[in-house]
Amino acid sequence: MQEVTASALLTNKIGLHARPSVKLTQTAKRFGSRIEVATSAAGPWTDAKSPVKIMRVKAAKGDVLHFKASGEDASAALAALVDIVARKFDEE
Amino acid sequence: MPASKNVGIVIVSHSAKVAEGAADMVRQMVGDNVPLAAAGGNAEGGLGTDVAAIMAAIDKAWSEAGVAILVDLGGAETNSEMAVEMMPEERRERIVICNAPIVEGAVMAATEASGGSSLAVVQATAEELMSA
């Protein structure tokens, strides 16, 4: 299965704190593909469907979130994740 | 309302305020597609936990997928175990008490449950908080 990648700049004030983390994992969980997140293109990579692990990433405003996904709905998953980051998790 | 397919979450604290506050955090952070109930305080309205109230909370949050319970200090756990023992036999094996901090555990368990995960996965996510 082809792996697809995408990235998005975190611009919301609080970065990837609790509530945005929950929204990010909830978005990732809607898709069947394996999805990972990192704050550097070189990793380390974190399972985007694990709320505990995502919260531990502690990404801040100005960080770039890198996504990679593999699976049948990988492209749609990354589009949804990039979109929710761009929308500042609908909080601002 | 049709029974939810998602695992339900029950929050049991010695304090009604803690239980209700944790439930508020779950609702605000995770949304309302997870059955949720809180039981806090003893039958007299003081600090403590009450088996009957815990049983009622399990009923309220009941889902065919099961229920995960988050507890605070000692008595909350033993009274929750007692409440589970007193539930109908066919439900007992679909109720788990998570070894996790009550507030964070409730939010994490509910986040996992909101995606339709199984009871075992919901419990594992909450308990992941206890590992490094």
Side-chain angles (χ1 to χ4, degrees):
Chain A
M1 190 69 68
Q2 188 74 28
E3 185 174 274
V4 292
T5 61
S7 63
L9 177 67
L10 264 182
T11 59
N12 60 311
K13 285 195 203 93
I14 64 169
L16 207 52
H17 274 226
R19 202 188 314 233
S21 292
V22 167
K23 289 187 175 173
L24 190 144
T25 54
Q26 284 185 315
T27 302
K29 281 173 186 296
R30 300 206 319 259
F31 299 92
S33 295
R34 171 170 177 74
I35 307 165
E36 291 174 288
V37 187
T39 50
S40 156
W45 294 91
T46 299
D47 180 0
K49 298 182 186 182
S50 165
V52 177
K53 290 187 182 131
I54 288 297
M55 230 164 272
R56 285 180 183 151
V57 171
K58 295 192 170 131
K61 180 182 179 182
D63 285 352
V64 174
L65 289 184
H66 299 266
F67 296 104
K68 64 178 183 184
S70 54
E72 291 201 351
D73 53 9
S75 298
L78 292 199
L81 287 164
V82 167
D83 180 56
I84 196 170
V85 175
R87 293 199 327 255
K88 302 183 193 224
F89 305 90
D90 295 330
E91 297 207 336
E92 291 172 24
Chain B
M1 198 171 89
S4 174
K5 298 190 300 289
N6 291 339
V7 169
I9 308 294
V10 168
I11 299 164
V12 180
S13 170
H14 280 64
S15 156
K17 287 180 183 172
V18 169
E20 286 158 17
D24 282 345
M25 279 187 65
V26 170
R27 268 186 224 104
Q28 288 189 27
M29 297 183 69
V30 181
D32 52 12
N33 68 343
V34 175
L36 176 69
N42 63 18
E44 291 75 45
L47 290 182
T49 54
D50 176 50
V51 175
I54 298 169
M55 290 177 72
I58 294 171
D59 260 338
K60 187 180 169 204
W62 182 254
S63 154
E64 287 307 305
V67 165
I69 307 179
L70 279 300
V71 300
D72 63 5
L73 307 168
E77 182 169 15
T78 48
N79 276 342
S80 294
E81 285 167 354
M82 206 177 298
V84 173
E85 284 301 309
M86 290 167 73
M87 296 303 286
E89 196 176 346
E90 70 276 8
R91 286 191 176 190
R92 271 177 233 157
E93 62 188 24
R94 279 182 282 166
I95 307 171
V96 295
I97 299 171
C98 300
N99 177 24
I102 190 162
V103 177
E104 296 92 328
V107 172
M108 293 301 155
T111 301
E112 191 64 58
S114 70
S117 299
S118 70
L119 182 60
V121 173
V122 169
Q123 181 180 17
T125 297
E127 294 184 350
E128 200 181 329
L129 287 160
M130 303 296 279
S131 60

